[in-house]
């Protein structure tokens, strides 16, 4: 399956101390591409494998008011499958058979997958390290259509002896 670039919006709840740092981070953070397999009409009651192209950690050197700031963040993923189920993990996922992020839909239909990536970590300025306050999030959305398996009746095979 190819990674599909979803609709992306970035959300931040800034802290008063790190407003400028948060703004710079929001501009620099990678946005998640969401992929799933099977990528064409997954079936109900069969696991769908999900993954993202977000790195397992993010480092960046940012200049703020003449100071160099080194930032290291780790993501936490909130997978909203569109049917009321949410899965929280620090794994990026993978396609079948290695993927740990799987979900089976019980009814056919059109669903919106929403992946919220919440970033937390530390920043270092002139050798002093501090935790980044505030919630920094990116949100990606991608539609998925799940179908019912067709029912086929086949005649019994009879053997003549």
């Amino acid at each position: 399956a190819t990674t599909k670039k979803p609709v992306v919006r970035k959300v931040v709840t800034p802290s008063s101390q790190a407003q400028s740092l948060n703004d710079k981070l929001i501009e620099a953070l990678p946005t998640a591409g969401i992929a799933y397999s099977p990528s064409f009409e997954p079936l109900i009651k069969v696991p769908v494998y999900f993954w993202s192209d977000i790195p397992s950690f993010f480092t960046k050197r940012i200049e703020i008011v003449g100071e160099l700031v080194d930032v290291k963040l780790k993501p936490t993923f909130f997978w909203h499958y569109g049917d009321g189920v949410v899965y929280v993990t620090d794994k990026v996922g993978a396609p079948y058979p290695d993927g740990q992020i799987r979900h089976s839909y019980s009814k056919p239909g059109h669903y919106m997958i929403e992946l919220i990536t919440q970033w937390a970590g530390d920043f270092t300025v002139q050798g002093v390290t501090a935790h980044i306050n505030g919630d920094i999030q990116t949100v990606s959305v991608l539609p998925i259509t799940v179908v019912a398996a067709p029912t086929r009746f086949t005649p019994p095979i009879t053997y003549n002896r």
Side-chain angles (χ1 to χ4, degrees):
T2 58
T3 300
K4 300 173 185 174
K5 273 298 181 189
V7 175
V8 174
R9 69 182 191 274
K10 294 185 179 186
V11 180
V12 65
T13 309
S15 70
S16 57
Q17 298 171 340
Q19 175 73 38
S20 198
L21 178 59
N22 278 8
D23 288 347
K24 294 255 186 187
L25 285 175
I26 288 298
E27 293 170 8
L29 281 172
T31 54
I34 300 171
Y36 58 87
S37 76
S39 60
F40 180 73
E41 294 188 343
L43 299 174
I44 60 169
K45 301 179 183 171
V46 175
V48 179
Y49 287 72
F50 294 90
W51 66 97
S52 170
D53 61 358
I54 290 287
S56 54
F57 66 91
F58 173 79
T59 58
K60 183 86 174 167
R61 177 167 278 172
I62 298 172
E63 185 180 336
I64 300 176
V65 290
E67 292 287 339
L68 289 178
V69 179
D70 291 312
V71 178
K72 184 169 186 179
L73 301 175
K74 289 187 65 83
T76 300
F77 302 101
F78 296 81
W79 288 91
H80 295 255
Y81 297 116
D83 61 355
V85 176
V86 177
Y87 179 68
V88 180
T89 182
D90 62 353
K91 307 266 189 264
V92 296
Y96 175 85
D98 301 322
Q100 349 40 358
I101 303 169
R102 305 184 281 281
H103 180 65
S104 297
Y105 290 88
S106 59
K107 296 179 184 173
H110 304 286
Y111 299 94
M112 289 303 286
I113 304 161
E114 183 179 64
L115 175 59
I116 298 173
T117 307
Q118 183 171 315
W119 299 90
D122 300 315
F123 68 95
T124 305
V125 180
Q126 296 181 353
V128 177
T129 300
H131 187 70
I132 293 178
N133 296 317
D135 289 333
I136 301 170
Q137 296 181 346
T138 56
V139 181
S140 301
V141 179
L142 185 70
I144 185 172
T145 299
V146 182
V147 298
T151 304
R152 272 187 250 148
F153 293 99
T154 55
I157 299 173
T158 56
Y159 295 99
N160 293 329
R161 293 187 179 190

